[in-house]
Amino acid sequence: MTVAASEATGRAADILARPVALNGLTVPNRLVMAPMTRQFSPGGVPGEDVVSYYARRAAAGIGLIVTEGTYVDHPSAGISDRIPRFHGEEQLAGWAKVAEAVHAAGGRIMPQLWHVGMVREQGQPPFPEAPAVGPSGLRLDGTEGGTAMTQADIDAVVAAFAEAAAAAERIGFDGVELHGAHGYLIDQFLWAGTNRRTDAYGGDPVARTRFAVEIVQAVRSAVSPGFPVVFRFSQWKADHYGARLAETPQELEAVLAPLATAGVDAFHASTRRYWLPEFDGSDLNLAGWARKLTGRPTVTVGSVGLEFGRAFLGEGAGLRGIDDLLDRLERDEFDMVAVGRAVLQDPAWAAKVLAGRFDELKAYDAASLTSLS
């Protein structure tokens, strides 16, 4: 199917331009800019180029921007001094300018709050002395390589997420997203492959949610009642694409229901290809199942507008129509659509899609993205 021949031309605006409520926030349309790590913030400080980067996409019609992952205030949270941090006077001042510019352009914005956990290697910046920490000191491949978190460690990380969320509301953001996907710290607690604890934070799927639940509860207590809290989750992990949190809808419900009860307002279900069904016997994708099981709004993501082959390995991708995506939105399988590489390649992607100008869309060319402006 070619984009030029797509039947979506007359439908896109009607379906995508509908507002949607996330707790007390009204997002003007169904398009989300997905979080994408860029490493363009020396010293963890988002500069004027970062301000422009997000403002351009808001001005082109993206309803909600979720920022690249940004580290909470814990020494073991990160792996680079060029990835932004969400703590520190200079860092937060930079982020405040980002939020202000996005609002001036008509958009809404949330920071993605992040701790990498056992993905960290010893000696990495921004705090080289900090150890890698996780639920059981295990890396994604099952090998040992760090420190199992004590109760004091857990309490410190929970507090760091809450402090970052409070800061986000204070400096003008519209909500927060908690990064509970892709094999990073929160996900390491959720996944049996990395959580071998025998205390209250390990064991069955519900027990493995306790760390995430405590973070959600702490964040919820740190912000106002109407401030949205979004939780991003995935089955797959970085470099472990076949990993799964849940083999059945019942197992997925065991993970998501406690999070919804704790105060999650929406779930961002990360998949590599949104059109693939998640479980046998149903066409629902992961976001569709999350919505069905929790009743919360959901965001789908994964190769929107692009036909990915080896693009996840840094190669390019051709264009893919969005008729099937619009069909799913129209029947309320999920509520919003996050777009990553397509909007990274083309800042005007949203404006073109909302206007039905599909013939102007650009294929994804990883080699051309030198400045990611």
Side-chain angles (χ1 to χ4, degrees):
M1 176 178 61
T2 64
V3 174
S6 173
E7 298 175 0
T9 302
R11 303 172 61 208
D14 288 341
I15 295 172
L16 293 172
R18 298 171 297 162
V20 60
L22 302 178
N23 195 343
L25 174 69
T26 298
V27 180
N29 62 44
R30 302 302 174 111
L31 293 173
V32 180
M33 181 176 175
M36 291 172 281
T37 299
R38 305 192 312 135
Q39 300 201 54
F40 280 8
S41 298
V45 180
E48 291 300 325
D49 57 328
V50 178
V51 173
S52 174
Y53 167 76
Y54 288 116
R56 287 181 68 191
R57 282 139 180 102
I62 290 287
L64 175 63
I65 289 170
V66 180
T67 73
E68 61 211 281
T70 178
Y71 300 142
V72 297
D73 188 7
H74 186 264
S76 298
I79 56 174
S80 169
D81 198 38
R82 294 182 59 84
I83 289 175
R85 305 200 286 272
F86 215 82
H87 59 93
E89 184 176 350
E90 190 176 3
Q91 288 82 0
L92 292 178
W95 279 122
K97 292 179 181 178
V98 171
E100 182 180 14
V102 167
H103 290 155
R108 308 291 185 270
I109 185 168
M110 299 180 180
Q112 186 188 70
L113 305 180
W114 188 22
H115 191 303
V116 303
M118 290 298 302
V119 172
R120 176 177 171 77
E121 299 286 347
Q122 186 63 43
Q124 285 183 310
F127 304 106
E129 303 302 318
V133 298
S136 303
L138 297 177
R139 300 199 180 279
L140 297 180
D141 61 5
T143 61
E144 296 182 1
T147 302
M149 294 172 70
T150 65
Q151 186 65 55
D153 295 328
I154 288 172
D155 293 344
V157 171
V158 169
F161 273 94
E163 290 163 6
E169 184 171 28
R170 185 175 67 249
I171 65 176
F173 279 80
D174 299 295
V176 293
E177 177 171 284
L178 308 177
H179 196 342
H182 305 166
Y184 296 113
L185 181 62
I186 295 175
D187 194 22
Q188 289 160 22
F189 273 85
L190 296 176
W191 187 39
T194 42
N195 186 344
R196 309 288 177 79
R197 298 177 75 99
T198 57
D199 63 2
Y201 294 91
D204 64 27
V206 174
R208 295 198 302 271
T209 69
R210 177 169 175 167
F211 177 65
V213 163
E214 289 185 359
I215 289 174
V216 172
Q217 290 172 332
V219 166
R220 186 78 272 160
S221 295
V223 299
S224 61
F227 194 69
V229 176
V230 179
F231 189 91
R232 196 179 210 210
F233 75 101
S234 68
Q235 298 265 39
W236 65 275
K237 322 301 173 195
D239 297 326
H240 294 265
Y241 298 120
R244 296 177 69 82
L245 283 180
E247 296 292 346
T248 66
Q250 293 74 25
E251 291 179 1
L252 183 63
E253 185 175 21
V255 174
L256 299 185
L259 295 168
T261 300
V264 169
D265 296 301
F267 288 97
H268 187 173
S270 179
T271 58
R272 299 173 71 207
R273 296 171 179 85
Y274 73 84
W275 55 87
L276 297 180
E278 193 57 42
F279 302 113
D280 292 340
S282 170
D283 291 334
L284 291 178
N285 71 4
L286 188 61
W289 274 110
R291 190 180 196 271
K292 180 176 181 176
L293 294 171
T294 68
R296 298 291 193 271
T298 60
V299 182
T300 197
V301 68
S303 305
V304 173
L306 298 173
E307 190 67 70
F308 273 82
R310 293 175 57 82
F312 289 96
L313 301 178
E315 300 180 10
L319 295 173
R320 183 181 193 276
I322 61 168
D323 298 312
D324 61 333
L325 179 72
L326 297 178
D327 290 342
R328 289 167 178 257
L329 270 170
E330 198 167 33
R331 62 176 180 256
D332 295 324
E333 180 177 340
F334 38 74
D335 301 271
M336 304 184 77
V337 178
V339 187
R341 288 172 175 86
V343 77
L344 184 66
Q345 175 79 45
D346 185 356
W349 187 89
K352 294 174 182 178
V353 168
L354 290 169
R357 291 159 30 214
F358 294 95
D359 57 336
E360 298 179 27
L361 295 176
K362 302 175 183 178
Y364 176 71
D365 178 9
S368 71
L369 298 176
T370 56
S371 64
L372 303 188
S373 60

